[in-house]
Amino acid sequence: MDNKPCLTDSYGRLVNYIRVSVTDKCNLRCFYCLPKGQHPFAAKADYLHPDELIRILRVFAQLGVANVRLTGGEPLVRKDFPDLVKRIQQIDGINDLSLSTNASLLAEQAAQLQQNGIKRINVSLDSLQAKRFKQITHGELAPVLAGLMAAKEAGFFPIKINMVVMRHVNDDEVVDMVAFCQQHGFTLRFIETMPVGGSGQQAGDHYIDLAEIQQRLAQDYQLVPSIVAGNGPARYFRVNNSALHIGFITPMSQHFCETCNRVRLSVDGTLYLCLGKNHSQPLRPWLRQGIDDGRLQQLIIQALALKPKQHNFNDNPHEVIRFMSSTGG
């Protein structure tokens, strides 16, 4: 008999995946996430100490959460990030450790991160045109492409490209992105814009239903439903009976809340139960008051009762005002 513990919420959904923001800082300034001139960062004293983060993740692992994704901000701006990865990888019960990154600093770190335990990488890449990339991110495209090639050389697989598709911004590049991913053996995922924070709400002016993108691609490609390893909500298709997979992440047009298996831990130790809601449970104050592991487990279990049935981005797009970089991706 399998007596392995598990976390379930009030709606019977198994929660086996945690996304962890190891920093809320980023070296890019994507206009829909963390616009230039905005500095909504937590005070350094409010960051979880590495030992505190390891302890929280160890307790989550004891509760059956085996899948961890490290996010930001941009995780690679943290100087101790490779060491942190190594410590997390050593936690008993964590079987899948993955990374979300903008890849601009990845060329120098890819090999070490692979050795230290990162298994899979998601890279945010919204344009293959240097000028447009700079308009979207206020950064340079060349280091991102170099980071991607270094990750490929280091042996990461799959490498998933996340493209936020925005009308009149980059939706004319979807075919180019398909060709790029096919050339390099990457998995491609298109994502709808979400009204998270003031910047995300402004980006809503460029919202495009991904059903439209799928219809465009279907004119030139045969898209066959498929499955790709991972813990996220993308619906995948194999392209032209090839090795290329394209995923569609549709939080707005076709929400996937009924199968949500994740929670998010912010850099200041706040556990968020839904990206599109404000339901949360602070953990850091309890840690610093000396809570023991048994009580910490109970606190997490109780917090799961706060996980809502679904977001209401469509009905109340102004509900969530926190920046995406503070929430854990």
Side-chain angles (χ1 to χ4, degrees):
M1 181 179 292
D2 186 1
N3 293 318
K4 185 176 180 179
C6 62
L7 279 176
T8 55
D9 68 10
S10 302
Y11 302 95
R13 294 171 295 195
L14 175 67
V15 174
N16 59 7
Y17 177 28
I18 184 169
R19 298 175 65 102
V20 180
S21 177
V22 298
T23 179
D24 55 359
K25 296 180 174 62
C26 187
N27 57 337
L28 297 183
R29 287 293 182 272
C30 299
F31 76 86
Y32 58 81
C33 179
L34 190 63
K36 193 173 183 179
Q38 297 282 350
H39 303 284
F41 305 129
K44 191 171 183 180
D46 292 336
Y47 269 42
L48 286 173
H49 300 154
D51 289 347
E52 292 172 332
L53 175 56
I54 295 299
R55 185 179 174 205
I56 291 172
L57 291 180
R58 187 178 69 243
V59 169
F60 266 101
Q62 292 166 355
L63 290 169
V65 175
N67 309 299
V68 176
R69 175 167 293 277
L70 302 178
T71 75
E74 171 48 47
L76 302 192
V77 303
R78 243 186 105 137
K79 290 182 169 50
D80 65 345
F81 185 66
D83 292 334
L84 191 61
V85 168
K86 192 170 187 177
R87 292 186 64 185
I88 295 171
Q89 190 274 334
Q90 293 170 345
I91 296 174
D92 185 37
I94 292 180
N95 302 324
D96 183 63
L97 183 58
S98 55
L99 168 68
S100 289
T101 175
N102 62 36
S104 61
L105 301 174
L106 189 56
E108 299 82 10
Q109 300 188 42
Q112 184 179 9
L113 292 176
Q114 199 274 341
Q115 293 168 5
N116 286 9
I118 296 290
K119 293 183 177 180
R120 297 180 292 107
I121 291 183
N122 291 358
V123 173
S124 175
L125 181 60
D126 296 330
S127 177
L128 294 169
Q129 300 176 23
K131 182 178 179 180
R132 180 179 286 175
F133 182 87
K134 191 161 192 173
Q135 290 172 338
I136 295 172
T137 70
H138 294 89
E140 301 297 328
L141 177 62
V144 174
L145 298 180
L148 276 168
M149 297 309 117
K152 183 179 176 181
E153 179 68 23
F156 286 105
F157 185 84
I159 296 172
K160 297 177 181 178
I161 302 299
N162 288 345
M163 180 183 184
V164 177
V165 183
M166 295 167 281
R167 192 181 301 280
H168 305 313
V169 175
N170 64 352
D171 62 310
D172 59 337
E173 285 193 69
V174 294
V175 172
D176 291 340
M177 197 67 77
V178 169
F180 175 76
C181 290
Q182 193 158 32
Q183 176 185 355
H184 294 287
F186 301 147
T187 296
L188 175 58
R189 308 197 307 176
F190 297 120
I191 304 174
E192 292 176 343
T193 59
M194 292 176 284
V196 178
S199 52
Q201 290 156 15
Q202 292 173 15
D205 295 339
H206 302 290
Y207 170 77
I208 183 168
D209 185 328
L210 287 185
E212 179 180 329
I213 299 301
Q214 186 174 341
Q215 291 168 5
R216 280 194 220 171
L217 293 176
Q219 295 175 10
D220 298 310
Y221 303 98
Q222 181 184 13
L223 303 177
V224 179
S226 187
I227 297 174
V228 172
N231 303 295
R235 294 176 297 108
Y236 284 101
F237 296 83
R238 185 184 292 273
V239 179
N240 288 358
N241 203 28
S242 69
L244 175 64
H245 287 83
I246 296 178
F248 296 86
I249 299 178
T250 55
M252 302 298 291
S253 62
Q254 301 179 56
H255 74 75
F256 32 81
C257 301
E258 68 276 2
T259 60
C260 184
N261 63 341
R262 68 200 67 89
V263 292
R264 290 171 167 83
L265 184 68
S266 71
V267 70
D268 68 356
T270 301
L271 185 66
Y272 287 99
L273 287 307
C274 176
L275 182 63
K277 290 279 195 176
N278 289 315
H279 301 69
S280 63
Q281 172 62 62
L283 299 181
R284 175 177 49 83
W286 291 92
L287 294 178
R288 296 186 183 177
Q289 291 169 21
I291 192 173
D292 62 31
D293 281 3
R295 181 70 184 99
L296 183 57
Q297 282 193 10
Q298 289 303 311
L299 193 64
I300 291 170
I301 292 169
Q302 291 168 12
L304 260 291
L306 301 174
K307 189 170 175 63
K309 185 175 182 179
Q310 65 183 62
H311 69 69
N312 60 347
F313 281 141
N314 293 310
D315 297 329
N316 188 8
H318 302 291
E319 178 175 353
V320 178
I321 60 173
R322 65 183 181 272
F323 284 81
M324 180 77 85
S325 62
S326 68
T327 309

